[in-house]
């Protein structure tokens, strides 16, 4: 790349979560004089069902959007998930070929991100990966590390992750522990959310945010086959507590169809048990942080419980295998898929109350650290397994 | 998997090289009473241009073929390569969904194999990977290790590779150094090839296999942009030696279009320089080994030079970055992209003559070792980064 | 085709409507000794949201199913519809190539059927088309006639349609007015539906089928941009009548997303107006006919109003452009997109009551006539525009 | 469309032939103040093998190119052709969705053009079709008329075609006999071609354009299965005449692989018979016209023989079914697939010499007539079968 021209950076966004957590980074890249930033939108971010208005917000942000690719194949099962990834990669290839960026930024571990990384690698683009090296369950575990092996620049969020990325043969000169974007963002937000604001989202009953309430975020575990049962278990465990609950619909991984159907079934056929529940697709990123801060206990298997809540000090009950092996702070209690275990763990967390903030995922200026690297580091494409001498 | 039913094993074949090297394994799996073997054909194996008659041979072999997928996108450049991979994965997903195997076997490091591995992983299949852990250049280096991070069972060909696969966090119980299938096969072949047989393949002039001749196999290096120039360099380096040459057309990676055009140009416009050359698409696997055994020196960047020739003792001049970092025996001399260097290295190898056989890639019964593991090991799908304690 | 082997007939099913109306034909083809019937499932038939259990019923029917292709791209807009069609065609090509049928049967005018017809034509298959030659609105009008120009055998449902198919240059020897499969089926059904059975489907309030009620089936008109507004107009027009309503969700054409959202909005925010309404995805084909027979007036733009109801004598208010130009009997009153017009038309139809049966779409034994042709007619592939002499 | 903004016209180019014949139209649209012209490149136009340098020429022409889509699937058979069409449509959908043109121009009858028309129709674009209504053989016959039924504006080249388009139910207000773009172009070209210029293209022996020579252009007939045999027949028929021949490689329809292989076989193994032959991929459009003008007789099944040569007066021997039924002038002699027939017909044409120019396909200003319509006519999307009153 000639030093006289801007670096062209492509940032594919395929879910609202990636947009939420990346806002600070996107803003800084967008404003940097040495960067031409281009967004590519695809996946669930374009679908009302999962991300109402998020894509519109992005468009209003003044960003250059190189493509809006409808490529989510319906089914909510493994075959639909696999084909969605493949179709995404096929279409992204065309867009990357046309826009010809210097760097493609891949976030996290969602299944379609590996497909995009593969396309970018085959087009000889330099790939920067955010959040490699963590251990978790689900297909995310495989996806995350496979992306690491395609990526050239690594932004990890904690020292354990850094150690693993290096063990996998990545070049130490290109591995940076910048801390987590999600947590940096959570640390910056001072917005609050009111009962009225919350009631503008989703369906069901009002939840008074001034009184203790639970937030449930339980996504499919793609490598398990009984997601419906696991959701019912959580439902039974929590119903007995008779507390107000803000319940988020699951994300569009394999298993989502049966989980969404189960939630709809609860609403239609368990009116008494759901009369203190509100079911929400999503809330804007700032209000999401505010909600986590106000929640008495977060229940489910979202990474927000492990990451953002470690810094916010919000008690978390993490259920099942999805986050298994992920570095966590004291705020997290883990349980299996058992209604009694879940109920007991939540009761214990409610008794404990909030935790002291942890910095395991936090470094100030995570986004600025990434911008500094992305704008100055020498780019390369030929990878070599780096062996510790 | 219930012990009462056969293991269903799916073996996708996307290039003639994979079929050639895997014949022993395929035959043993096909005959094993505990295995239902299903082949999937795609990629260049179906195209006359690259693999004339190979697909027909496979069909004649009595195998069950679950799908024949035409999915090579023309162009011979990076975008065509990337889209070929994505389209392959999309179509393979349908086939895997229908045939529902227990295990999918992924070979080596070709770009479309990562795409197939991705599809298989998203469908929650157990993936067995052959030949992980090696170091090389080209996009193969990234592809190989990314496949490792999606795979559950690993058959590596040497101890260095095993060490790397373990470093990447794979479970030691599932990593096996079985030696190389290619080399096992080369060791088994006692077929020979005659001048007449050789002259039945390809175009150009006859090469007398009873007299010293060179074999050139130079494929594109996908992470480099001057494949045409590098081929011309080899041509100039060798033309000065005035020796008979069997020259293989490049495989269909990005860059193949310009390399094939360059070879056609040599033929049309450098008649004198090519009057001792024969240009060949491929020869049957047994005769290929015979050819390597008879060749005075193999020139180019094929893995056959590093692997099969290590055992056969054939002198090799390995040019450029494609095999860079790969474990090699004494028979290999490495050069850069320089006509003088290439000529000097070949001259030196011709002076040296054949080498003693090396066992760095060889273990007897590689294929049987794989069959034993594939039919008996406990299958799993949820991966976990395994950290050495 | 040799006379000594069975004709292989491929029947792609991409929506529950096609399965419902084709059951008699499928059964007869399945049982015919000279036919090997193979179904291909794709599109919305595989999705719970649109066709719960229909695909399972098909599988239970003992049919050979050559492929189940998840290929509906989410979005509910034009781009998703177009891409769904293209992806369907791409995948169908593989299946047709493998199963190699003699004849592919294309039904009606749904957008994905043209894509399948195109794939079949390019594979040199003989195409039989059911229900060509009609005039309507929406993209269906273009799709239907384009399929005619790819098809070799034509089963039309009325004389006007036959005249048009011939005008378009089709060979009179291959154009047959067999009457409508839908209407043949409606004529055969003597099942009834009870209030209890109806209440087992969908969500909302019970509708007593023993008392007068309306049935609303309003699908998107893909060539119009204000489907949401048009649905609201119907809602307002009917709400004033204060009658029980069985309301079907729209089919998955472009515009479905905004229409489905509008219906959900009615349910959540207009509780009073919807308290006599039941919202239903689908009912089994026999019960659907029973429902049409019991309905006081069918409202919307479904072809069932024009076709089945012409024979059943059920009053119909047909709204807007979707069925514009389609041959209809006296039972149909047409209106524009106006709440007042809709209300007035329904009131008039309720006052009139049931109509005498019409035979404009009815011939006894439609399905048998098709089977006779499909099993005996000489097949061809090269089309020639036939000019009346 | 508001009158205050330019009409956005999208012109997809998928073969060199379409570019050649459309140059005058493209130039006029590009320069028209009321038009924003956007080209989309795909199919064989991007491939060296078929269209060397044409895509580069287009890029040099100053046009806006909205996408360059590599989407030709290798195989040269029906399944590859079908999948190429489907993949093209899938990718074109994305491009049309982004560029959002008012009008999409579809040319002729190539298989991928129907796929593009389908995508455009589903996106509710107004489609203008050039060269509808002709009768021919091959799959082109089906494709052409199916496009007519998707298109809104029709530019036909002769009165017979107009009559057929109207019979198919198109609105007379939107059907225009403008004459043929190919022939307008042929009439404008006064360039010549020299022996030296011709020898710069392709491979084989020099052909002296000052002396009598034949030009062979024989493409696959996709609805026939013996394209290889038919080409051999032509070869045998012509070899006996011992005349110089300029032989064009076939276009990339199904069957092209075996035909190309046959030509390569002639070159390698029939050196004597081919020693007066030159094999050419393509020549620039102007020189192609000059070549037709100088040719003693055009042999094969190209539409150029029927159309351009009718005006140029060049004798033509049209072989087999590909152009069967197409309106032709006195310059065309038709034969079956017989070496004797072909030889006799060529001999007869050589004896006759050039014909008087015919105007059956010619009107002056064809391209300007199209521009006038495209820039002024009221656009619509909802089609209705128009019945003659």
């Amino acid at each position: 790349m000639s030093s006289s021209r801007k670096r062209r950076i492509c940032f594919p966004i395929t879910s609202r979560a990636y947009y939420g957590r990346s806002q600070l980074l996107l803003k800084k890249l967008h404003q940097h004089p040495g960067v031409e930033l281009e967004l590519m939108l695809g996946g669930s971010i374009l679908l009302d069902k999962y991300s109402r208005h998020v894509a519109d917000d992005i468009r209003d942000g003044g960003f250059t959007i190189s493509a809006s690719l409808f490529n989510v194949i319906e089914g909510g099962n493994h075959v639909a998930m696999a084909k969605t990834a493949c179709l995404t990669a096929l279409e992204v290839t065309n867009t990357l070929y046309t826009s010809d960026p210097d760097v493609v930024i891949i976030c996290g571990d969602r299944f379609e991100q590996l497909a995009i990384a593969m396309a970018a690698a085959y087009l000889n683009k330099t790939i920067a990966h955010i959040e490699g090296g963590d251990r978790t369950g689900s297909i995310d575990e495989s996806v995350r590390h496979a992306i690491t092996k395609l990526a050239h620049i690594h932004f990890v969020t904690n020292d354990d992750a850094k150690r693993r990325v290096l063990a996998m043969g990545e070049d130490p000169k290109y591995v940076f522990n910048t801390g987590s974007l999600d947590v940096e963002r959570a640390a910056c937000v001072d917005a609050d959310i009111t009962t009225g604001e919350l009631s503008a989202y989703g369906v069901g009953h009002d939840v008074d945010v001034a009184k203790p309430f639970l937030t449930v975020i339980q996504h499919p575990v793609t490598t398990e086959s009984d997601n419906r049962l696991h959701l019912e278990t959580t439902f039974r465990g929590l119903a007995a507590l008779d507390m107000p609950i803000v319940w988020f619909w699951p994300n569009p991984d394999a298993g989502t169809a049966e989980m969404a159907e189960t939630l709809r079934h609860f609403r239609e056929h368990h009116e008494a048990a759901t009369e203190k529940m509100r079911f929400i697709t999503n809330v804007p990123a700032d209000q999401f942080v505010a909600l986590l801060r106000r929640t008495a206990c977060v229940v489910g298997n979202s990474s927000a419980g492990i990451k953002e809540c470690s810094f916010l000090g919000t008690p978390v009950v993490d259920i099942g295998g999805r986050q298994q092996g992920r570095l966590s702070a004291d705020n997290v209690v883990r349980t299996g898929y058992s209604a009694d275990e879940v109920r007991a763990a939540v009761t214990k967390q409610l008794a404990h109350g909030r935790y002291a903030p942890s910095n395991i995922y936090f470094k100030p200026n995570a986004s600025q650290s990434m911008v500094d690297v992305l704008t100055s580091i020498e780019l390369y494409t030929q990878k070599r397994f780096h062996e510790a001498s």
Side-chain angles (χ1 to χ4, degrees), chain A:
Chain A
M1 205 197 68
S2 136
S3 62
S4 65
R5 80 163 171 86
K6 296 180 175 194
R7 281 200 174 169
R8 299 170 74 166
I9 297 181
C10 174
F11 199 109
I13 302 180
T14 56
S15 80
R16 63 174 187 262
Y18 287 164
Y19 177 64
R21 73 180 58 155
S22 307
Q23 287 186 354
L24 289 174
L25 175 61
L26 287 172
K27 202 171 169 186
K28 285 174 183 161
L29 286 172
H30 187 43
Q31 294 170 345
H32 195 288
V35 170
E36 272 182 46
L37 178 67
E38 223 170 43
L39 308 188
M40 234 191 303
L41 307 186
S44 62
I45 197 83
L46 295 175
L47 302 179
D48 274 5
K49 177 158 102 183
Y50 299 108
S51 312
R52 182 185 307 276
H53 303 318
V54 178
D56 292 338
D57 286 356
I58 296 174
R59 286 193 194 94
D60 292 346
F63 297 108
T64 301
I65 296 176
S66 59
S68 294
L69 302 167
F70 285 83
N71 44 30
V72 175
I73 292 177
E74 286 204 61
N77 55 14
H78 287 94
V79 66
M81 182 173 94
K83 289 168 73 171
T84 295
C86 301
L87 182 60
T88 301
L90 183 66
E91 301 189 341
V92 160
T93 301
N94 284 327
T95 304
L96 289 179
Y97 176 68
T98 302
S99 65
D100 195 24
D102 300 298
V103 180
V104 178
I105 298 181
I106 300 294
C107 285
D109 46 32
R110 283 195 50 77
F111 63 94
E112 71 272 15
Q113 295 280 319
L114 172 58
I116 298 173
M118 185 182 79
Y122 291 0
L123 290 169
N124 255 357
K125 301 303 171 194
T126 300
I127 297 170
H129 183 211
I130 298 175
E131 289 217 335
D134 283 355
R135 285 179 76 190
T136 65
S138 203
I139 190 66
D140 308 356
E141 169 78 359
S142 298
V143 166
R144 187 183 314 108
H145 302 317
I147 293 174
T148 291
K149 291 309 301 173
L150 297 174
H152 306 82
I153 303 170
H154 307 271
F155 299 119
V156 302
T157 66
N158 59 84
D159 286 333
D160 285 5
K162 183 169 184 176
R163 191 187 67 241
R164 287 186 208 103
V165 168
L166 293 175
M168 284 190 274
E170 296 306 299
D171 185 340
K173 290 202 302 286
Y174 286 88
V175 183
F176 305 91
N177 178 0
T178 57
S180 159
L181 284 177
D182 316 50
V183 178
E184 181 196 21
R185 183 146 220 294
C188 293
V189 170
D190 49 14
D192 201 353
I193 187 166
T194 65
T195 300
E197 286 164 349
L198 182 62
S199 297
Y201 304 115
V203 295
H205 301 274
D206 289 351
V207 168
D208 183 347
V209 299
K211 298 183 184 159
F213 66 95
L214 307 177
T215 294
V216 180
I217 317 175
Q218 188 161 345
H219 297 304
V221 183
T222 57
T223 41
E224 299 177 356
S225 58
D226 33 16
N227 286 294
R228 181 195 301 269
L229 184 65
H230 295 165
L231 191 65
E232 288 169 358
T233 301
T234 302
F235 184 79
R236 279 186 292 114
L238 298 183
L241 293 170
D242 195 33
M243 280 188 69
I245 299 182
V246 177
W247 199 304
F248 283 83
W249 296 92
N251 72 18
D253 285 349
T256 194
E258 64 205 61
M259 291 180 78
E261 186 189 282
T262 303
L263 288 182
R264 279 192 291 268
H265 180 82
F266 292 159
R267 285 197 66 209
E268 295 285 343
H269 299 284
H270 294 72
E271 291 190 23
T274 59
E275 71 180 3
K276 291 187 173 173
M277 297 184 185
R278 181 152 207 93
F279 296 85
I280 289 182
T281 303
N282 73 311
V283 299
D286 281 13
Q287 293 186 318
F288 182 66
V289 172
L291 195 71
L292 292 179
R293 208 189 279 119
R294 280 187 169 274
T295 299
C297 182
V298 169
V299 181
N301 58 19
S302 166
S303 67
I306 312 291
K307 294 192 290 180
E308 283 92 323
C309 291
S310 71
F311 181 84
L312 298 172
T314 304
V316 169
V317 173
D318 181 72
I319 303 173
R322 192 163 180 267
Q323 302 296 339
Q324 194 178 329
R326 183 161 253 169
L327 174 72
S328 61
D330 295 341
N331 68 312
V332 177
V333 172
R334 294 181 189 274
T335 76
Y337 297 115
S338 146
D340 288 344
E341 270 190 66
V342 168
R343 188 172 46 244
V346 173
T347 303
K348 183 179 148 197
Q349 288 284 44
L350 293 175
H352 180 284
R354 307 196 69 75
Y355 288 78
S358 156
N359 282 350
I360 53 171
Y361 285 105
F362 177 67
K363 286 186 192 286
N365 301 319
S367 54
Q368 188 59 48
S369 306
M370 293 181 190
V371 171
D372 292 346
V373 170
L374 289 168
T375 54
S376 64
I377 205 166
E378 188 181 1
L379 303 181
Y380 71 108
T381 55
Q382 177 64 60
K383 292 194 67 176
R384 303 268 177 213
F385 196 101
H386 188 277
E387 305 198 70
S389 52

